[in-house]
Amino acid sequence: GTVAKKRRTIIVNNVQECDNYIACDSDTKSEIVIPVFEKDKLVAVLDIDSIKENDFEHIDRINLEKICRLISK
């Protein structure tokens, strides 16, 4: 819900420190969540989990956002 509300990508380096994190897998340590827009309307959210803390970086955000823009066209 946070990504939908803020309309921007969020990287969570340690999900244990995130108050509003909803665990789908107890092995998840970090995640990146990218909103997908079509004509400025939010149509999907891409959520990628990792079993390692601090696994996502700025370059991941940039490239995943590019992929999401391509998919939504």
Side-chain angles (χ1 to χ4, degrees):
T2 303
V3 168
K5 184 183 286 187
K6 293 186 176 190
R7 300 177 61 84
R8 65 177 178 82
T9 298
I10 294 178
I11 295 174
V12 180
N13 291 314
N14 181 347
V15 298
Q16 299 297 319
E17 295 176 352
C18 189
D19 293 338
N20 64 344
Y21 178 73
I22 300 170
C24 296
D25 183 345
S26 61
D27 291 334
T28 299
K29 302 292 185 228
S30 63
E31 72 173 2
I32 185 168
V33 188
I34 306 98
V36 180
F37 298 98
E38 187 175 290
K39 297 180 182 177
D40 203 39
K41 179 182 176 187
L42 181 67
V43 293
V45 175
L46 174 63
D47 182 346
I48 301 173
D49 297 341
S50 174
I51 60 171
K52 295 190 285 183
E53 285 185 21
N54 301 304
D55 203 22
F56 301 101
E57 299 179 2
H58 180 70
I59 192 68
D60 300 312
R61 180 186 64 80
I62 290 169
N63 289 324
L64 289 167
E65 287 176 348
K66 285 180 184 177
I67 291 168
C68 287
R69 281 193 299 276
L70 290 171
I71 291 170
S72 68
K73 288 185 179 183

